[in-house]
Amino acid sequence: MQRRLLPLITIMVLCCQTLAAQNLIHRVDSFLSARYYREGVFDTTYITRPKTRWTLITRLNISGMDIESKGYDQGRRFKSVMQANSKTTISIGASYLGVALSLSLNPAQLAGKYHDFEINFKSYGRRFGFDVSYTDAKNFEGWYDADGLPRYTLPDGTLAVKTLNANAFYIFNHRRFSYPAAFSHNYIQRRSAGSFLLAASFQWQHAFHDWDQDTKLRMTNIGLGAGYGYNFVPHRGWLLHLSVLPTFILYSHTSMTFDEDRIPLHYHFPEVIITSRGAVVRQWTKTYAGISMRFNFTNIGSETSLAVHNQKWLARAFYGIRLGK
């Protein structure tokens, strides 16, 4: 009797598990749908949601970084320039009701020609947005000049640089101005609108020579500020975005060391972290395409002792296909 009931019990358990999984999926889908199509949170004259639930996305990303330092070392004026080789990645992803997941591949890394590590994470919402970028790179090359001394060349692969950049912002006119329309594409900007933005920035960097770790640059900066963004819709289906977010550095701890000779950084107004973003988007019925760019610039210190200029940029071309109803 028990042997006859065992298959029946197993089938009943499997059915219950299937129903529970279906119920959970249905609840998650209902929650995402209610969140995605929620009404009254933005002015539909200016902003709307795509009518499709799924979006397939492919992107081509190119990024780079420059570090320039100037100052005086033991009475000699010096200048150092370090430049990273540009990095190219290809990513594919999918988005369901505004929740996206993507995978990036670096052709040079797959071929064994590139061994650096970089991760980028962003979230652009109606009111709040942020992006975080971490890089661990050894593909820098550059040079060092000092008065009375020959130029010292830094060959590719000998300089190690770890960098963390984080930027966050709050959108005041979130009912009519959409950041995601330009970068995440889970909103559509129907009419031109702009907004003032409240911003915060954080930057951490550690650079040193592989063969001489007594020569290094350490940098930590925190800034607060405000900026402005504008979405220009010249014609139906087109969107041009430009935003600038300058933040004034409130906390800075930066120094450069040469053979245990530490050169401190002295405050020199204005010390800023500037984050600029731009995009051009073309929308069709079920597809969209365009280009976008993010540029970070840091200016700290004084050339009477030590000044550091740091630039990091990311350019992107993208194409998306919207599926379903």
Side-chain angles (χ1 to χ4, degrees), residues 59-207:
R59 301 183 181 96
L60 174 65
N61 310 295
I62 303 175
S63 62
M65 183 189 306
D66 298 333
I67 306 172
E68 179 184 278
S69 56
K70 301 178 181 179
Y72 283 86
D73 177 24
Q74 297 180 347
R76 290 192 178 96
R77 180 176 176 82
F78 72 88
K79 180 179 180 180
S80 173
V81 175
M82 297 172 285
Q83 186 175 48
N85 299 325
S86 60
K87 184 192 71 172
T88 301
T89 62
I90 300 171
S91 68
I92 55 175
S95 173
Y96 181 73
L97 293 175
V99 179
L101 181 66
S102 64
L103 173 67
S104 296
L105 301 174
N106 187 328
Q109 194 168 40
L110 294 176
K113 300 178 181 179
Y114 187 90
H115 303 285
D116 293 351
F117 171 78
E118 180 171 343
I119 183 170
N120 290 279
F121 180 75
K122 68 174 183 178
S123 177
Y124 296 153
R126 290 186 303 104
R127 298 191 181 192
F128 299 96
F130 67 88
D131 52 57
V132 179
S133 172
Y134 176 76
T135 307
D136 187 349
K138 294 184 179 179
N139 66 331
F140 279 79
E141 58 184 4
W143 48 266
Y144 170 85
D145 262 348
D147 292 342
L149 298 175
R151 172 172 288 192
Y152 182 68
T153 302
L154 305 173
D156 187 9
T158 59
L159 182 69
V161 181
K162 298 179 180 180
T163 304
L164 174 65
N165 285 307
N167 303 279
F169 55 86
Y170 174 80
I171 303 169
F172 287 96
N173 188 20
H174 53 268
R175 288 182 55 82
R176 295 185 175 183
F177 169 83
S178 174
Y179 238 104
F183 298 98
S184 302
H185 316 296
N186 50 10
Y187 289 84
I188 297 174
Q189 187 81 41
R190 303 179 65 185
R191 290 187 178 183
S192 300
S195 177
F196 286 101
L197 309 167
L198 188 65
S201 299
F202 173 82
Q203 182 184 63
W204 173 88
Q205 190 170 76
H206 184 194

Side-chain angles (χ1 to χ4, degrees), residues 297-318:
F297 173 77
T298 305
N299 173 41
I300 58 173
S302 169
E303 294 185 18
T304 58
S305 57
L306 173 63
V308 180
H309 300 155
N310 199 309
Q311 303 177 61
K312 181 170 176 56
W313 56 270
L314 170 67
R316 172 174 290 162
F318 52 85

